[in-house]
Coordinates of all heavy atoms in Angstrom, one line a residue:
L77 N 186.3 -21.2 -54.3 CA 186.9 -22.4 -54.8 C 188.0 -22.9 -53.8 O 188.7 -23.8 -54.0 CB 187.7 -22.1 -56.1 CG 186.9 -21.7 -57.3 CD1 187.7 -21.3 -58.5 CD2 185.9 -22.7 -57.7
A78 N 187.7 -22.4 -52.5 CA 188.7 -22.9 -51.4 C 188.3 -24.3 -51.0 O 189.1 -24.9 -50.3 CB 188.5 -22.0 -50.2
D79 N 187.2 -24.9 -51.4 CA 186.7 -26.1 -51.0 C 187.1 -27.2 -52.1 O 186.2 -28.1 -52.3 CB 185.3 -26.2 -50.7 CG 184.3 -25.7 -51.8 OD1 184.9 -25.2 -52.8 OD2 183.2 -25.8 -51.7
L80 N 188.1 -27.1 -52.9 CA 188.5 -28.0 -53.9 C 188.7 -29.4 -53.2 O 189.4 -29.4 -52.1 CB 189.8 -27.5 -54.6 CG 189.7 -26.3 -55.4 CD1 191.1 -25.9 -55.9 CD2 188.7 -26.5 -56.6
A81 N 188.3 -30.4 -53.8 CA 188.5 -31.8 -53.3 C 190.0 -32.1 -53.4 O 190.7 -31.6 -54.3 CB 187.7 -32.7 -54.3
Q82 N 190.4 -32.9 -52.4 CA 191.7 -33.2 -52.2 C 192.2 -34.0 -53.5 O 191.4 -34.9 -53.9 CB 191.9 -34.0 -51.0 CG 193.3 -34.1 -50.7 CD 193.6 -34.1 -49.1 OE1 192.7 -34.3 -48.4 NE2 194.8 -33.8 -48.6
G83 N 193.2 -33.7 -54.0 CA 193.7 -34.4 -55.2 C 193.2 -33.9 -56.5 O 193.7 -34.3 -57.6
E84 N 192.4 -32.9 -56.5 CA 191.8 -32.3 -57.7 C 192.8 -31.3 -58.3 O 193.4 -30.5 -57.6 CB 190.5 -31.5 -57.4 CG 189.8 -31.0 -58.6 CD 188.5 -30.3 -58.3 OE1 188.0 -30.5 -57.2 OE2 188.1 -29.7 -59.2
T85 N 193.1 -31.5 -59.6 CA 194.1 -30.6 -60.2 C 193.4 -29.3 -60.6 O 192.2 -29.2 -60.7 CB 194.6 -31.4 -61.6 OG1 193.5 -31.6 -62.3 CG2 195.4 -32.5 -61.2
T86 N 194.3 -28.3 -60.6 CA 193.7 -26.8 -60.8 C 194.6 -26.2 -61.9 O 195.8 -26.7 -62.2 CB 193.8 -26.1 -59.5 OG1 195.1 -26.0 -59.1 CG2 192.9 -26.7 -58.5
M87 N 194.1 -25.1 -62.4 CA 194.7 -24.2 -63.3 C 194.8 -22.8 -62.7 O 194.0 -22.5 -61.8 CB 194.1 -24.2 -64.6 CG 193.9 -25.6 -65.3 SD 193.1 -25.5 -67.0 CE 191.4 -25.2 -66.4
Q88 N 195.7 -22.0 -63.2 CA 195.8 -20.6 -62.7 C 195.5 -19.7 -63.9 O 195.8 -19.9 -65.0 CB 197.2 -20.3 -62.2 CG 197.7 -21.2 -61.1 CD 197.0 -21.0 -59.9 OE1 196.8 -19.9 -59.4 NE2 196.6 -22.0 -59.1
T89 N 194.8 -18.6 -63.5 CA 194.6 -17.5 -64.4 C 194.5 -16.2 -63.6 O 194.6 -16.3 -62.4 CB 193.3 -17.8 -65.3 OG1 193.3 -16.9 -66.4 CG2 192.1 -17.6 -64.5
E90 N 194.3 -15.1 -64.3 CA 194.4 -13.9 -63.7 C 193.0 -13.1 -63.9 O 192.4 -13.1 -65.0 CB 195.4 -13.0 -64.3 CG 195.8 -11.8 -63.5 CD 197.0 -11.2 -64.1 OE1 198.1 -11.5 -63.8 OE2 196.9 -10.2 -64.9
C91 N 192.5 -12.4 -62.9 CA 191.2 -11.7 -63.0 C 191.5 -10.5 -64.0 O 192.5 -9.7 -63.8 CB 190.8 -11.1 -61.6 SG 189.4 -10.0 -61.7
V92 N 190.7 -10.4 -65.0 CA 190.8 -9.3 -65.9 C 190.4 -7.9 -65.3 O 190.8 -6.9 -65.9 CB 190.0 -9.6 -67.2 CG1 190.6 -10.8 -67.9 CG2 188.6 -9.8 -66.9
E93 N 189.8 -7.9 -64.2 CA 189.3 -6.7 -63.6 C 190.4 -6.2 -62.7 O 190.7 -5.0 -62.7 CB 188.0 -6.9 -62.8 CG 187.4 -5.7 -62.3 CD 186.7 -4.8 -63.3 OE1 186.6 -5.1 -64.5 OE2 186.4 -3.7 -62.9
C94 N 190.9 -6.9 -61.7 CA 191.9 -6.5 -60.8 C 193.2 -7.1 -60.8 O 194.1 -6.7 -60.1 CB 191.3 -6.7 -59.4 SG 191.1 -8.4 -58.8
G95 N 193.5 -8.1 -61.6 CA 194.7 -8.8 -61.7 C 195.0 -9.8 -60.7 O 196.1 -10.4 -60.7
A96 N 194.0 -10.2 -59.7 CA 194.2 -11.2 -58.8 C 194.4 -12.6 -59.3 O 193.9 -12.8 -60.5 CB 193.1 -11.2 -57.8
E97 N 195.3 -13.3 -58.7 CA 195.4 -14.8 -59.3 C 194.3 -15.6 -58.9 O 193.8 -15.6 -57.8 CB 196.8 -15.4 -58.6 CG 197.1 -16.7 -59.4 CD 198.5 -17.2 -58.9 OE1 199.4 -16.4 -59.1 OE2 198.6 -18.2 -58.3
L98 N 193.7 -16.4 -59.9 CA 192.6 -17.2 -59.6 C 193.1 -18.7 -59.7 O 193.7 -19.0 -60.7 CB 191.5 -17.0 -60.6 CG 191.0 -15.5 -60.7 CD1 190.0 -15.4 -61.8 CD2 190.3 -15.1 -59.4
T99 N 192.6 -19.5 -58.8 CA 192.8 -20.9 -59.0 C 191.5 -21.6 -59.4 O 190.5 -21.4 -58.8 CB 193.2 -21.5 -57.6 OG1 194.4 -20.9 -57.2 CG2 193.5 -23.1 -57.6
V100 N 191.5 -22.2 -60.6 CA 190.3 -22.8 -61.2 C 190.4 -24.3 -61.3 O 191.5 -24.8 -61.7 CB 190.2 -22.1 -62.6 CG1 189.0 -22.6 -63.3 CG2 190.2 -20.6 -62.5
P101 N 189.4 -25.0 -61.0 CA 189.4 -26.5 -61.1 C 189.6 -26.8 -62.6 O 189.1 -26.1 -63.5 CB 188.1 -27.0 -60.6 CG 187.4 -25.8 -60.1 CD 188.2 -24.5 -60.5
E102 N 190.4 -27.9 -62.8 CA 190.8 -28.3 -64.2 C 189.5 -28.8 -64.9 O 189.4 -28.7 -66.1 CB 191.8 -29.4 -64.2 CG 192.5 -29.5 -65.5 CD 193.7 -30.5 -65.4 OE1 193.4 -31.6 -65.5 OE2 194.8 -30.0 -65.3
D103 N 188.4 -29.2 -64.2 CA 187.2 -29.6 -64.9 C 186.1 -28.4 -65.1 O 185.1 -28.7 -65.4 CB 186.5 -30.7 -64.1 CG 186.1 -30.3 -62.8 OD1 186.4 -29.2 -62.2 OD2 185.4 -31.2 -62.0
V104 N 186.7 -27.2 -65.0 CA 185.8 -26.1 -65.3 C 185.3 -26.1 -66.7 O 185.9 -26.6 -67.6 CB 186.6 -24.8 -65.1 CG1 187.7 -24.5 -66.1 CG2 185.6 -23.6 -65.0
M105 N 184.0 -25.7 -67.0 CA 183.4 -25.8 -68.3 C 183.4 -24.4 -68.9 O 183.1 -23.4 -68.3 CB 182.1 -26.5 -68.2 CG 182.1 -27.9 -67.7 SD 180.5 -28.6 -67.2 CE 179.4 -28.0 -68.4
Q106 N 183.4 -24.4 -70.2 CA 183.2 -23.2 -71.0 C 181.8 -22.6 -70.7 O 180.8 -23.4 -70.5 CB 183.4 -23.5 -72.5 CG 183.3 -22.3 -73.5 CD 183.5 -22.6 -74.9 OE1 184.1 -23.7 -75.1 NE2 183.1 -21.6 -75.7
G107 N 181.8 -21.3 -70.5 CA 180.5 -20.6 -70.2 C 180.3 -20.6 -68.7 O 179.4 -19.9 -68.3
E108 N 181.1 -21.2 -67.8 CA 180.9 -21.2 -66.4 C 181.3 -19.8 -65.9 O 182.2 -19.1 -66.4 CB 181.8 -22.2 -65.7 CG 181.5 -22.5 -64.4 CD 182.2 -23.9 -63.8 OE1 182.5 -24.7 -64.6 OE2 182.5 -23.8 -62.7
I109 N 180.5 -19.3 -64.9 CA 180.8 -18.0 -64.3 C 181.7 -18.2 -62.9 O 181.2 -19.0 -62.2 CB 179.6 -17.3 -63.9 CG1 178.7 -17.1 -65.3 CG2 179.9 -15.9 -63.3 CD1 179.3 -16.3 -66.4
L110 N 182.7 -17.6 -62.8 CA 183.6 -17.6 -61.7 C 183.7 -16.3 -61.0 O 184.0 -15.3 -61.6 CB 185.0 -18.1 -62.0 CG 185.1 -19.3 -62.9 CD1 186.4 -19.5 -63.4 CD2 184.7 -20.6 -62.1
P111 N 183.4 -16.2 -59.7 CA 183.5 -15.0 -59.0 C 185.0 -14.7 -58.6 O 185.7 -15.6 -58.2 CB 182.7 -15.1 -57.7 CG 182.8 -16.6 -57.5 CD 182.8 -17.2 -58.8
C112 N 185.5 -13.6 -58.7 CA 186.9 -13.1 -58.3 C 186.9 -13.0 -56.8 O 186.1 -12.3 -56.3 CB 187.3 -11.9 -58.9 SG 188.9 -11.4 -58.3
P113 N 187.8 -13.8 -56.1 CA 187.7 -13.7 -54.6 C 188.3 -12.3 -54.1 O 188.0 -12.0 -52.9 CB 188.8 -14.9 -54.2 CG 189.6 -15.1 -55.4 CD 188.7 -14.7 -56.6
E114 N 188.9 -11.6 -54.9 CA 189.5 -10.3 -54.5 C 188.5 -9.1 -54.7 O 188.1 -8.5 -53.8 CB 190.8 -10.0 -55.3 CG 191.9 -10.8 -54.9 CD 192.4 -10.8 -53.5 OE1 192.5 -9.6 -53.0 OE2 192.7 -11.8 -52.9
C115 N 188.0 -9.0 -56.0 CA 187.1 -7.8 -56.3 C 185.7 -8.1 -56.5 O 184.8 -7.3 -56.5 CB 187.7 -7.0 -57.5 SG 187.4 -8.0 -59.1
G116 N 185.4 -9.4 -56.5 CA 184.0 -9.8 -56.7 C 183.4 -9.8 -58.1 O 182.3 -10.1 -58.3
A117 N 184.2 -9.5 -59.1 CA 183.8 -9.5 -60.5 C 183.4 -10.9 -60.9 O 183.9 -11.9 -60.5 CB 184.9 -8.9 -61.3
D118 N 182.3 -11.0 -61.6 CA 182.0 -12.2 -62.3 C 182.7 -12.4 -63.6 O 182.7 -11.6 -64.5 CB 180.4 -12.3 -62.6 CG 179.7 -12.5 -61.3 OD1 180.1 -13.0 -60.3 OD2 178.5 -12.0 -61.2
L119 N 183.5 -13.5 -63.7 CA 184.3 -13.9 -64.9 C 183.8 -15.1 -65.5 O 183.5 -16.1 -64.9 CB 185.7 -14.1 -64.4 CG 186.3 -13.0 -63.6 CD1 187.7 -13.5 -62.9 CD2 186.6 -11.8 -64.5
E120 N 183.6 -15.0 -66.9 CA 183.1 -16.1 -67.6 C 184.2 -16.8 -68.3 O 185.1 -16.2 -68.8 CB 182.0 -15.6 -68.7 CG 181.5 -16.6 -69.6 CD 180.4 -16.1 -70.5 OE1 180.3 -14.9 -70.7 OE2 179.9 -17.0 -71.3
V121 N 184.2 -18.2 -68.3 CA 185.1 -18.9 -68.9 C 184.8 -18.9 -70.4 O 183.8 -19.4 -70.9 CB 185.2 -20.4 -68.3 CG1 186.2 -21.2 -69.2 CG2 185.5 -20.4 -66.9
I122 N 185.7 -18.3 -71.2 CA 185.5 -18.2 -72.7 C 186.1 -19.5 -73.3 O 185.4 -20.0 -74.2 CB 186.3 -17.0 -73.2 CG1 185.8 -15.7 -72.5 CG2 186.1 -16.9 -74.7 CD1 184.3 -15.5 -72.7
T123 N 187.3 -19.9 -73.0 CA 187.9 -21.2 -73.5 C 188.5 -21.9 -72.4 O 189.0 -21.2 -71.4 CB 188.8 -21.0 -74.7 OG1 189.9 -20.2 -74.2 CG2 188.1 -20.3 -75.9
V124 N 188.5 -23.2 -72.5 CA 189.2 -24.0 -71.4 C 190.7 -24.3 -71.7 O 191.5 -24.3 -70.9 CB 188.3 -25.3 -71.2 CG1 189.0 -26.2 -70.2 CG2 187.0 -24.9 -70.8
A125 N 191.0 -24.6 -73.0 CA 192.3 -24.9 -73.5 C 192.7 -24.0 -74.6 O 192.3 -24.3 -75.7 CB 192.4 -26.4 -73.8
P126 N 193.4 -23.0 -74.4 CA 194.0 -22.4 -73.2 C 192.8 -21.8 -72.3 O 191.8 -21.3 -72.9 CB 194.9 -21.4 -73.5 CG 194.5 -20.9 -74.8 CD 193.8 -22.0 -75.6
L127 N 193.1 -21.7 -71.1 CA 192.0 -21.1 -70.2 C 192.0 -19.5 -70.3 O 193.0 -18.9 -70.2 CB 192.3 -21.4 -68.7 CG 191.5 -20.8 -67.6 CD1 190.0 -21.4 -67.8 CD2 192.0 -21.1 -66.2
V128 N 190.9 -19.1 -70.8 CA 190.7 -17.6 -71.1 C 189.4 -17.2 -70.4 O 188.3 -17.8 -70.5 CB 190.5 -17.3 -72.6 CG1 190.2 -15.9 -72.8 CG2 191.9 -17.8 -73.3
V129 N 189.6 -16.2 -69.5 CA 188.3 -15.6 -68.9 C 188.2 -14.2 -69.2 O 189.1 -13.5 -69.5 CB 188.4 -15.7 -67.3 CG1 188.4 -17.2 -66.8 CG2 189.5 -15.0 -66.7
E130 N 186.8 -13.7 -69.3 CA 186.6 -12.3 -69.5 C 185.5 -11.9 -68.6 O 184.8 -12.8 -67.9 CB 186.0 -12.2 -71.0 CG 187.1 -12.4 -72.1 CD 186.4 -12.1 -73.5 OE1 185.3 -11.9 -73.5 OE2 187.2 -12.3 -74.4
L131 N 185.2 -10.6 -68.4 CA 184.2 -10.2 -67.6 C 182.8 -10.7 -68.1 O 182.6 -10.7 -69.3 CB 184.1 -8.7 -67.5 CG 185.1 -7.9 -66.7 CD1 184.9 -6.4 -66.9 CD2 184.9 -8.3 -65.3
A132 N 182.0 -11.3 -67.2 CA 180.8 -11.8 -67.7 C 179.8 -10.7 -68.0 O 179.9 -9.6 -67.3 CB 180.2 -12.7 -66.5
P133 N 179.0 -10.9 -69.0 CA 178.1 -9.8 -69.4 C 177.1 -9.7 -68.2 O 176.6 -10.6 -67.6 CB 177.4 -10.3 -70.7 CG 177.7 -11.8 -70.7 CD 178.9 -12.1 -69.9
T134 N 176.7 -8.3 -68.0 CA 175.8 -8.1 -66.9 C 174.4 -8.0 -67.6 O 174.3 -7.5 -68.7 CB 176.1 -6.7 -66.3 OG1 176.2 -5.7 -67.2 CG2 177.4 -6.9 -65.5
E135 N 173.5 -8.6 -67.0 CA 172.1 -8.6 -67.5 C 171.5 -7.3 -67.1 O 171.4 -7.0 -66.0 CB 171.3 -9.9 -67.0 CG 171.8 -11.2 -67.4 CD 170.9 -12.2 -67.1 OE1 169.8 -12.1 -66.8 OE2 171.5 -13.4 -67.0
M136 N 171.0 -6.6 -68.2 CA 170.4 -5.3 -67.8 C 168.9 -5.5 -67.6 O 168.2 -6.3 -68.2 CB 170.5 -4.4 -69.1 CG 171.9 -4.2 -69.5 SD 172.9 -3.3 -68.4 CE 172.2 -1.6 -68.7
E137 N 168.5 -4.7 -66.5 CA 167.0 -4.7 -66.3 C 166.3 -3.9 -67.4 O 166.8 -2.9 -67.7 CB 166.8 -4.1 -64.9 CG 167.4 -4.9 -63.7 CD 166.5 -6.1 -63.4 OE1 165.3 -6.1 -63.7 OE2 167.0 -7.0 -62.7
D138 N 165.2 -4.3 -67.9 CA 164.5 -3.5 -68.8 C 163.4 -2.7 -68.2 O 162.9 -1.8 -68.9 CB 164.0 -4.3 -69.9 CG 162.9 -5.4 -69.6 OD1 162.5 -5.3 -68.4 OD2 162.5 -6.1 -70.4
W139 N 163.1 -2.9 -66.9 CA 162.2 -2.1 -66.2 C 160.8 -2.0 -66.9 O 160.1 -1.0 -66.9 CB 162.7 -0.7 -65.9 CG 163.9 -0.8 -65.1 CD1 165.2 -0.5 -65.5 CD2 164.2 -1.1 -63.7 NE1 166.1 -0.7 -64.5 CE2 165.5 -1.0 -63.3 CE3 163.2 -1.4 -62.6 CZ2 166.0 -1.3 -62.1 CZ3 163.7 -1.7 -61.4 CH2 165.1 -1.6 -61.1
G140 N 160.5 -3.1 -67.6 CA 159.1 -3.2 -68.2 C 159.0 -2.4 -69.5 O 157.9 -2.2 -70.0
E141 N 160.2 -1.9 -70.0 CA 160.1 -1.2 -71.3 C 159.8 -2.1 -72.5 O 160.2 -3.2 -72.6 CB 161.4 -0.5 -71.5 CG 161.6 0.5 -70.5 CD 162.9 1.3 -70.6 OE1 163.7 1.1 -71.6 OE2 163.2 2.1 -69.7

């Protein structure tokens, strides 16, 4: 998210995995996946107002079972 357009407004939240501060564009959408720049965890936007993120569910491989 370092390439935010000039003048774009942002929101702040915290990574639920490592506690790092995240800068999120204000036009983020519910269900969007955001990578944490510190620990690399994938965070899913649960709600936009207020901004709530949780660890994104990991897709399990079924290995053909």
Side-chain angles (χ1 to χ4, degrees):
L77 297 175
D79 58 351
L80 292 174
Q82 198 144 17
E84 185 174 345
T85 55
T86 61
M87 300 180 286
Q88 302 290 318
T89 192
E90 194 173 277
C91 175
V92 294
E93 185 74 8
C94 72
E97 187 172 301
L98 303 173
T99 301
V100 180
E102 199 169 84
D103 63 353
V104 70
M105 294 169 39
Q106 185 174 342
E108 196 167 331
I109 304 296
L110 306 170
C112 174
E114 294 293 320
C115 71
D118 285 334
L119 305 170
E120 181 178 3
V121 177
I122 303 301
T123 62
V124 176
L127 180 61
V128 175
V129 296
E130 290 182 359
L131 283 176
T134 55
E135 294 188 22
M136 301 294 288
E137 294 281 344
D138 67 4
W139 302 104
E141 293 176 10

